[in-house]
C-alpha cells in the first residue's frame, strides 16, 4: 500500500481482548512501506505478555513503544479496555527510544549519556537539525514514586529540547502499571522517546483548575512514599475533608477530582492530586509532597472552553493539525464523566485528531503535574519546498 507523504501519521485502534487478533488489527491498519515507528497505549486488562509477543510478531522489526493506561483516547474519542496506536512515517519522523530500567538509580550522568545516544540515533537519518526540530516523550511507571527524580535529570540533559509525557495507568486499580520497550512490558521503569521532524509542532500543557483562598500546610509527610500524615498539624484526611465540606468517609476519587490541591510556583499553580486515603487518616499523593509546602485549595473551572481555547491557539500558530498526542489525567476524565460532558469533549478530541491516554500524572518540561491535558500538537505537512 502506498502512503502519501502528506499523511505522515496513521492511527489504529482495536477493542478485541484476543491479543493475537488485536495485534493483527493494528498491523492491518498501520503497516506500509514507510512505517518507521509505532507508539501505543493499552488497557492493563490485556494479557500483557501475550500482547507484547503478538505485537512484535506482527510488526516485524518495527520499533514499538507504549504503556498501560487508565483509559484511552482513540480516533473515535474516549475508549476503555482497548489498545490505540500511532504509526509514524520515516520520511517525516526520525525516532529513537531507550528504556530506563532502574528509575531509583537514574542520575544526571545517566541522563546525559541517554540523551546523547538518542540524538545520535535521530541525527543519523538526516531529516532535520536536532535543535528546533525535536521533542521528547516520557512514559513513566505511574506507581513508581520516582518521576521527579528521573524528570529532573532528563530536563537538565535535554536542555532546550521540549518534552512532555504521561505516567502509565492500570484502569484505576492502582496496583501495577507498565511501560513497553524492547519487546516486553516493564514495571518500575521509564521510556524516553526522541522525535526529530521537519514538521511544525508545539509542546503544551493546560488545565482548568482555579485557585481559592484556602491553604493547607504539610506539617508531617514521608516524601519517599508521597504520603502526608498531617495538614495544619491535624490528621491529613480529616483536615482535607473539613476543607471541602464532606465527611472523611466520603473521600474517594470523585472528591479528589472535584477538590484538588496545588503548589504555587511564581504565578503558576501545579496540581498535586490525592491518590488515596488510608485508615490512619493519611493521604497518598500522585506527585511529590514534602514537609513545609503550602497547598492551595483549587476548584475546577469550565473544562471544554479551556480545551477549545487551547486548540484555537494551536491551529492559529500551526495551521490545521495532523495529530495531537495527548496525555490526559484520569481525574479529568472522571470529572467529565461525572458532569455528563463526555460526548462534547470527545467530539472536540476527534475534531483535533487527538490520540493518547488517560494518565496517573503528566510531565511537562521537567515538571511532574496532575489534572492537566499535556501533549504535542503537530501541524500538517505543507511541502518541504514551501517552508
Amino acid at each position: 500500500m502506498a502512503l502519501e507523504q502528506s499523511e505522515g501519521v496513521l492511527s489504529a485502534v482495536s477493542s478485541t481482548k484476543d491479543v493475537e487478533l488485536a495485534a493483527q488489527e493494528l498491523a492491518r491498519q498501520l503497516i506500509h512501506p514507510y512505517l518507521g515507528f509505532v507508539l501505543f497505549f493499552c488497557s492493563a486488562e490485556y494479557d500483557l505478555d501475550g500482547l507484547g509477543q503478538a505485537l512484535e510478531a506482527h510488526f516485524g522489526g518495527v520499533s514499538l513503544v507504549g504503556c498501560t493506561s487508565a483509559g484511552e483516547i482513540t480516533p473515535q474519542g474516549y475508549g476503555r479496555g482497548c489498545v490505540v496506536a500511532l504509526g509514524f512515517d520515516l520520511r517525516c519522523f526520525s525516532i529513537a527510544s531507550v528504556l530506563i530500567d532502574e528509575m531509583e538509580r537514574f542520575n544526571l550522568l545517566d541522563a546525559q549519556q541517554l540523551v546523547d545516544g538518542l540524538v545520535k540515533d535521530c541525527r543519523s537519518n538526516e531529516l532535520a537539525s536536532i535543535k528546533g526540530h525535536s521533542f521528547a516523550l516520557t512514559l513513566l511507571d505511574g506507581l513508581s514514586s520516582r518521576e521527579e527524580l528521573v524528570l529532573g535529570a532528563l530536563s537538565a540533559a535535554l536542555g532546550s529540547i521540549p518534552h512532555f509525557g504521561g505516567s502509565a495507568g492500570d484502569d484505576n486499580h492502582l496496583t501495577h502499571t507498565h511501560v513497553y520497550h524492547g519487546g516486553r512490558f516493564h514495571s518500575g521503569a521509564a521510556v524516553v522517546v526522541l522525535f526529530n521532524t521537519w514538521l511544525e509542532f508545539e509542546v503544551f500543557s493546560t488545565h482548568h483548575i482555579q485557585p481559592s483562598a484556602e491553604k493547607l500546610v504539610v506539617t508531617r509527610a514521608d516524601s519517599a512514599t508521597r504520603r502526608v500524615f498531617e495538614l495544619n498539624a491535624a490528621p491529613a484526611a480529616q483536615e482535607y475533608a473539613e476543607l471541602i465540606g464532606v465527611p472523611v468517609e466520603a473521600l474517594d476519587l470523585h472528591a479528589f477530582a472535584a477538590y484538588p490541591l496545588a503548589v504555587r510556583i511564581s504565578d503558576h499553580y501545579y496540581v498535586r492530586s490525592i491518590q488515596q486515603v488510608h485508615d490512619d487518616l493519611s493521604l497518598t499523593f500522585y506527585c511529590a509532597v514534602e514537609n513545609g509546602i503550602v497547598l492551595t485549595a483549587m476548584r475546577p473551572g469550565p473544562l471544554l472552553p479551556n480545551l477549545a481555547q487551547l486548540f484555537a491557539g494551536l491551529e492559529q500558530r500551526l495551521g490545521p493539525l495532523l495529530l495531537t498526542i495527548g496525555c490526559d489525567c484520569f481525574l479529568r476524565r472522571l470529572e467529565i464523566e461525572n458532569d455528563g460532558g463526555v460526548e462534547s469533549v470527545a467530539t472536540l478530541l476527534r475534531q483535533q485528531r487527538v490520540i493518547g491516554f488517560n494518565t496517573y500524572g503528566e510531565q511537562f518540561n521537567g515538571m511532574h503535574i496532575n489534572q492537566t491535558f499535556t501533549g504535542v500538537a503537530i501541524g500538517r505537512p505543507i511541502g518541504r519546498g514551501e517552508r
Side-chain angles (χ1 to χ4, degrees):
M1 149 183 151
L3 182 77
E4 291 297 322
Q5 183 165 298
S6 62
E7 293 184 59
V9 184
L10 294 178
S11 61
V13 64
S14 176
S15 297
T16 179
K17 283 298 186 293
D18 183 306
V19 295
E20 187 68 24
L21 288 177
Q24 284 181 14
E25 289 181 2
L26 295 177
R28 186 168 61 246
Q29 296 171 72
L30 294 183
I31 286 182
H32 62 84
Y34 299 102
L35 179 64
F37 183 85
V38 173
L39 174 67
F40 72 91
F41 310 106
C42 69
S43 165
E45 299 298 324
Y46 279 95
D47 166 11
L48 296 181
D49 288 340
L51 180 62
Q53 292 170 14
L55 288 172
E56 290 296 319
H58 284 281
F59 279 94
V62 174
S63 294
L64 293 114
V65 161
C67 71
T68 55
S69 67
E72 300 77 47
I73 306 175
T74 79
Q76 289 78 46
Y78 284 123
R80 199 174 289 285
C82 63
V83 53
V84 62
L86 292 166
F88 293 85
D89 189 323
L90 55 78
R91 295 170 296 179
C92 298
F93 297 89
S94 179
I95 303 174
S97 67
V98 67
L99 177 75
I100 301 172
D101 57 1
E102 293 187 333
M103 294 175 68
E104 67 277 0
R105 298 183 181 178
F106 192 70
N107 58 38
L108 183 56
L109 179 59
D110 296 329
Q112 194 59 63
Q113 292 173 342
L114 179 153
V115 170
D116 288 346
L118 292 174
V119 167
K120 182 179 179 182
D121 287 349
C122 283
R123 190 174 276 147
S124 66
N125 294 324
E126 299 182 345
L127 264 190
S129 61
I130 296 298
K131 186 174 183 180
H133 298 279
S134 303
F135 62 87
L137 164 68
T138 49
L139 300 175
L140 310 181
D141 181 331
L143 298 177
S144 67
S145 299
R146 296 293 182 270
E147 291 98 329
E148 285 85 6
L149 181 137
V150 171
L151 290 172
L154 275 177
S155 184
L158 285 165
S160 63
I161 297 174
H163 49 286
F164 75 99
S167 299
D170 66 345
D171 300 285
N172 303 353
H173 296 304
L174 301 176
T175 53
H176 297 96
T177 58
H178 297 82
V179 298
Y180 182 89
H181 187 273
R184 65 187 185 91
F185 286 90
H186 307 260
S187 60
V191 177
V192 185
V193 188
L194 185 64
F195 293 76
N196 177 238
T197 180
W198 50 269
L199 298 173
E200 299 284 349
F201 64 84
E202 183 177 324
V203 171
F204 63 84
S205 183
T206 189
H207 68 78
H208 64 300
I209 311 296
Q210 300 171 349
S212 65
E214 296 92 348
K215 310 285 184 185
L216 296 171
V217 180
V218 177
T219 47
R220 187 162 75 90
D222 180 356
S223 59
T225 60
R226 298 173 175 168
R227 193 161 172 171
V228 175
F229 296 93
E230 291 183 0
L231 292 168
N232 295 345
Q238 179 181 308
E239 193 73 1
Y240 173 74
E242 186 175 314
L243 174 76
I244 67 175
V246 302
V248 169
E249 296 74 25
L251 295 181
D252 59 12
L253 290 177
H254 301 279
F256 302 152
Y259 300 98
L261 302 172
V263 175
R264 182 177 178 177
I265 301 175
S266 297
D267 293 328
H268 299 282
Y269 288 90
Y270 298 94
V271 175
R272 294 287 182 263
S273 294
I274 300 170
Q275 183 184 102
Q276 56 185 315
V277 58
H278 301 279
D279 292 340
D280 64 357
L281 299 183
S282 64
L283 299 170
T284 296
F285 284 70
Y286 281 102
C287 280
V289 285
E290 297 177 354
N291 287 319
I293 66 169
V294 178
L295 296 170
T296 299
M298 308 288 282
R299 300 288 185 272
L303 189 149
L304 189 60
N306 173 264
L307 271 182
Q309 182 180 15
L310 167 74
F311 282 111
L314 290 169
E315 282 196 313
Q316 185 178 31
R317 294 184 293 274
L318 299 174
L321 300 181
L322 169 70
L323 166 75
T324 298
I325 304 174
C327 301
D328 191 26
C329 183
F330 87 104
L331 291 171
R332 286 168 55 92
R333 177 162 174 175
L334 198 63
E335 179 191 335
I336 293 166
E337 291 171 346
N338 288 343
D339 294 345
V342 170
E343 191 48 48
S344 57
V345 174
T347 298
L348 179 61
L349 297 179
R350 283 196 302 269
Q351 291 171 345
Q352 299 297 340
R353 301 195 66 182
V354 178
I355 303 293
F357 73 114
N358 295 113
T359 74
Y360 282 174
E362 304 78 60
Q363 299 112 43
F364 179 65
N365 289 337
M367 293 290 296
H368 182 217
I369 45 184
N370 295 128
Q371 275 179 269
T372 72
F373 178 68
T374 297
V376 64
I378 301 171
R380 290 185 179 277
I382 56 175
R384 300 182 77 165
E386 301 172 47
R387 299 177 62 77

